[in-house]
């Protein structure tokens, strides 16, 4: 049956590509004419048409965005929905790891540094917990590919995922949305906004996502032990506007009580990367982990003030974020000595994020851009601190502390060289400093009382690690050209550099290992592309080709026989490929979208080795040097070589004020290596998921009712693995089918 499903999806994708489908669609149920709507983005800190920006950028909004999250999925649901964008996590609904054009970081620790920056309402979310803030009342998602820094506060080497929520206004605006589905899925979302007086307005938004536990624990005999979640989030925005001055206050909060990732022991057999008979989506056997609980909370506030002057404006964005929480996992995925399969020892870990505090301040001055040129200059300050406590059943609890301080000055200017040709240039200087220290070690650890070697010396030893301080400052830049070939077609090229600051990883301290550091990595990226609106504005075709080189690329050696989490620098890394985004209004009733992304990445270091899985556990394909795998020439970990997505919407008018519609969306992920080393068991292949919505929309009363399905073919896709104990994997979400109702009020 699964083979047939894959064949059908393959035919559907081929048919979609042959019919020239499309990408990035704004919600437009009530079109007066059958033409594409203008998509406005803020990728350059000012509102522009997506077709005018000389950067490879894609946007999601409207029905495409709503459909992805109809079953209550978290932010990882964006994976593969935009060419070049991937996301995954081994930490359940928190700590997502994002990848753009194959570049990301597979480090699972709560202190991990990532080359993809997340911007929520103009505020950078640096820590991995902050990156997982749930999406609701979102106006638009933008994915800005390639190095960014001359405009955005936090430098990034891979790109930016930017979320913009709906803002307050002087007109009354509200909606309510409710959905129910399988596994006790019950989701609510709503917002209301209005004027308070002529100068003040507000918007209050809320979200509640719920699912019952549905996975049985055969070891304890509990039938519904884990798999569920209860997540609540809210946002209050107050806007003050008076002549040339505005101030927007944003208060937001989030509370999650759910299940961490579900690890499944020996779910792939040695010599194969297919799920075997040990795998059962609905059942596991855990003797540890307290059913893999997960509890996190975060709160934040930001104040954005803008003042207009003669010919320019001044913007200040001040933000403060806090978070804390914990999660526990039965990492071995079964019971040592019992199974499934051979499990040599118990592995259970609890991680706690302690008192995260993040403060950011951005100041920016920008021209009005009315004389053929635009300019923006700014300064950015960032300060964060937090602790990470790792608790292991043998070693006990160990706490390490991270502090990060950075400041930057940046600027960008654009000048019209002619009516057709414009030039953009940008510079940024960044200084970054990180501090690391070790707190309590091996608190309550069993190894403090065990004499493993019979020599009267316990294995667990308290070590006095020196505090670590690293710092660096570097200049990055960009140059871009945009040429208007016709009124509807433009060509662009962009050469940009960027750097990711040095990083510190202290997780090994919890397991009697030393902390590790990695030097800063620098990237040089080149891209060329075309953006066009064709066939009387019914076909939008955007294409970009890219190539980048990274010097001293930071990599994380995770797991393997070393059972560690260590930072390394490889000599270099290389990525090349292209993205195609298409949008096509085929008829008055049929709208098609599609995207294709190809990323070919390669690690380049003749001597760099990492510890692979245990001997005989998996089939390592790399050359071996003293029991270590040589990774030169391997692709970046968790870097899909191909991403394909496709949507289709067909609508039939019903009466004078409504329509019946069918909407379907599909995403395909090509070959992906899960680790730095290459092994048969730890590759994914041909993963795909599809969604379906069938419903009725009434225009006069502004409501929609729809049946929906996510992962409608119930695919079992491997998302990641744990390799130091056995061939453990974790998989995607199951099929969810339900009904949704939404009503707007004006």
């Amino acid at each position: 049956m699964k083979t047939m499903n894959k064949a059908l999806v393959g035919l559907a994708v081929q048919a979609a590509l042959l019919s020239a489908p499309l990408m990035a669609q704004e919600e437009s149920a009530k079109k007066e004419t059958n033409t594409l709507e203008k998509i406005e983005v803020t990728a350059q800190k000012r509102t522009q048409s997506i077709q005018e920006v000389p950067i490879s950028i894609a946007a999601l909004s409207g029905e495409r965005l709503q459909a992805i999250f109809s079953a209550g999925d978290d932010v990882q649901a964006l994976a593969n929905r935009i060419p070049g964008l991937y996301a995954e996590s081994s930490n359940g609904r928190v700590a997502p790891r994002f990848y753009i054009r194959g570049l990301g970081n597979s480090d699972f620790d709560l202190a991990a540094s990532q080359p993809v920056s997340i911007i929520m309402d103009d505020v950078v979310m640096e820590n991995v917990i902050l990156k997982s803030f749930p999406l609701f009342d979102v106006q638009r998602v933008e994915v800005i590919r390639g190095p960014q820094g001359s405009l955005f506060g936090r430098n990034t080497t891979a790109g930016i995922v930017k979320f913009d929520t709906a803002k307050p206004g002087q007109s009354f605006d509200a909606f309510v949305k409710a959905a129910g589905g399988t596994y006790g899925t019950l989701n609510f979302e709503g917002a209301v906004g209005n004027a308070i007086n002529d100068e003040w307005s507000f918007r209050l938004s809320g979200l509640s996502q719920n699912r019952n536990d549905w996975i049985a624990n055969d070891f304890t005999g509990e039938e519904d032990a884990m798999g569920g979640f209860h997540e609540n989030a809210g946002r209050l925005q107050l806007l003050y506007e008076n002549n040339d001055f505005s101030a927007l206050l944003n208060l937001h909060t989030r509370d999650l009580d759910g299940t961490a990732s579900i690890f499944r022991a020996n779910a792939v057999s040695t010599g194969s990367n297919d799920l075997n008979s040990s795998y059962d989506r609905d059942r596991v056997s855990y003797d540890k982990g307290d059913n893999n609980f997960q509890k996190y909370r975060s709160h934040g506030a930001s104040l954005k003030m803008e003042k207009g002057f003669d010919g320019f404006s001044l913007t200040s964005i001040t933000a403060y974020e806090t978070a804390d929480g914990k999660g526990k996992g039965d990492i071995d995925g079964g019971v040592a000595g019992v199974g499934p399969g051979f499990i040599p020892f118990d592995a259970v870990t609890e991680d706690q994020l302690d008192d995260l505090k993040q403060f950011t301040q951005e100041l920016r001055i920008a021209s009005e851009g009315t004389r053929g040129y635009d300019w923006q200059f700014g300064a950015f300050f960032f300060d964060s601190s937090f602790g990470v406590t790792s608790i292991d059943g043998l070693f006990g609890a160990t706490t390490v502390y991270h502090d990060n301080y950075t400041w930057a000055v940046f600027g960008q200017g654009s000048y019209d060289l002619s009516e057709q040709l414009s030039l953009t240039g940008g510079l940024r200087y960044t200084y970054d400093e990180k501090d690391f220290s070790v707190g309590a070690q091996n608190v309550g650890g069993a190894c403090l009382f065990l004499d493993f070697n019979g020599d009267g010396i316990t294995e667990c030893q308290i070590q006095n690690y020196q505090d670590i301080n690293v710092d660096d400052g570097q200049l990055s830049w960009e140059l871009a050209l945009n040429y208007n070939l016709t009124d509807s077609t433009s060509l662009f090229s962009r050469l940009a550099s960027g750097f990711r600051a040095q990083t510190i990883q202290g997780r090994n301290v919890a397991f009697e290992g030393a902390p590790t550091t990695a030097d800063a990595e620098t990237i040089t990226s080149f891209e060329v592309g075309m953006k066009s609106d064709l066939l009387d504005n019914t076909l939008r075709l955007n294409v970009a080709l890219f190539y980048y080189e990274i010097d001293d690329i930071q990599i994380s050696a995770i797991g393997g026989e070393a059972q560690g989490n260590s930072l390394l620098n490889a000599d270099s890394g290389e990525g090349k490929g292209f993205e195609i985004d298409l949008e096509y209004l085929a008829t008055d009733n049929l709208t098609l979208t599609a995207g294709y992304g190809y990323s070919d990445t390669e690690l380049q270091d003749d001597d760099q080795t990492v510890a692979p899985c245990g001997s005989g556990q998996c089939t390592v394909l790399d050359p071996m040097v003293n029991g270590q795998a040589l990774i030169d020439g391997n692709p970046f970990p968790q870097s899909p070589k191909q991403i394909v997505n496709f949507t289709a919407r067909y609508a039939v008018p019903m009466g004078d004020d409504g329509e019946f519609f069918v909407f379907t969306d599909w995403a395909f992920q090509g070959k992906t290596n899960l680790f730095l080393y290459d092994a048969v068991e730890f590759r994914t292949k041909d993963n795909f998921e599809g969604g379906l919505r069938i419903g009725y929309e009434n225009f006069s009363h502004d409501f929609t009712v729809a049946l929906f399905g996510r992962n409608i073919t119930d695919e079992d896709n491997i998302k990641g693995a744990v390799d130091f104990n056995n061939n453990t994997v974790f998989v995607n979400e199951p099929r969810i089918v339900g009904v949704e109702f939404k009503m707007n009020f004006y």
Side-chain angles (χ1 to χ4, degrees), residues 542-727:
N542 294 345
V543 180
L545 291 83
F546 66 87
Y547 174 81
Y548 62 80
E549 290 184 351
I550 309 173
D551 290 330
D552 297 320
I553 182 173
Q554 297 180 17
I555 56 178
S556 296
I558 299 170
E561 281 194 303
Q563 302 180 32
N565 186 347
S566 301
L567 286 170
L568 304 169
N569 285 105
D571 285 344
S572 63
E574 179 184 277
K576 55 182 179 293
F578 61 92
E579 297 112 9
I580 303 174
D581 298 324
L582 302 104
E583 182 176 5
Y584 183 41
L585 302 182
T587 70
D588 289 341
N589 305 103
L590 178 62
T591 303
L592 302 171
T593 76
Y596 180 82
Y598 177 83
S599 299
D600 184 9
T601 61
E602 183 178 304
L603 292 166
Q604 298 172 337
D605 191 318
D606 293 339
D607 303 315
Q608 187 64 67
T609 60
V610 298
C613 59
S615 177
Q617 175 188 324
C618 72
T619 311
V620 180
L621 301 178
D622 296 316
M624 301 296 290
V625 179
N626 297 323
Q628 302 272 299
L630 186 66
I631 62 172
D632 181 53
N634 285 354
F636 299 170
Q638 291 286 5
S639 172
K641 197 154 193 176
Q642 299 181 78
I643 289 176
V644 181
N645 53 71
F646 163 67
T647 75
R649 188 182 195 274
Y650 186 78
V652 178
M654 294 188 66
D656 297 328
D657 58 358
E659 67 178 17
F660 172 82
F661 66 87
V662 178
F663 176 88
T664 186
D665 62 291
W666 295 86
F668 170 87
Q669 174 188 341
K671 177 185 173 182
T672 307
N673 269 29
L674 302 182
F675 296 112
L676 289 168
Y677 66 91
D678 188 9
V680 171
E681 296 78 5
F682 301 129
R683 295 172 167 180
T684 67
K685 59 179 183 180
D686 301 338
N687 287 351
F688 71 89
E689 286 190 22
L692 181 67
R693 284 170 58 87
I694 302 173
Y696 169 75
E697 182 172 5
N698 184 283
F699 301 139
S700 60
H701 295 92
D702 222 330
F703 71 84
T704 303
V705 59
L707 299 173
F708 70 85
R710 304 305 303 166
N711 189 14
I712 57 175
T713 56
D714 203 22
E715 299 302 311
D716 299 294
N717 294 327
I718 296 174
K719 301 289 288 183
V722 180
D723 68 341
F724 69 84
N725 183 291
N726 64 81
N727 291 341

Side-chain angles (χ1 to χ4, degrees), residues 154-222:
R154 186 76 182 183
N155 199 14
T156 174
T157 51
I160 288 173
V161 182
K162 186 172 181 289
F163 302 104
D164 292 314
T165 63
K167 299 299 186 289
Q170 285 289 310
S171 301
F172 177 77
D173 174 24
F175 77 89
V176 292
K177 182 165 63 175
T182 48
Y183 300 107
T185 299
L186 192 60
N187 302 315
F188 300 96
E189 182 180 349
V192 58
N194 200 5
I196 300 174
N197 55 37
D198 290 343
E199 297 177 334
W200 288 89
S201 58
F202 78 96
R203 189 170 185 89
L204 179 64
S205 312
L207 174 75
S208 179
Q209 295 179 320
N210 307 272
R211 182 169 299 159
N212 293 337
D213 289 329
W214 55 277
I215 300 174
N217 187 343
D218 288 341
F219 185 83
T220 63
E222 298 172 83

Side-chain angles (χ1 to χ4, degrees), residues 217 220 222 225-227 259-260 262 286 288-293 328:
N217 187 343
T220 63
E222 298 172 83
M226 62 196 87
T259 304
I262 303 298
Y286 288 175
K288 309 285 184 179
D290 298 332
N291 290 330
N292 287 26
F293 71 85
K328 194 171 185 179

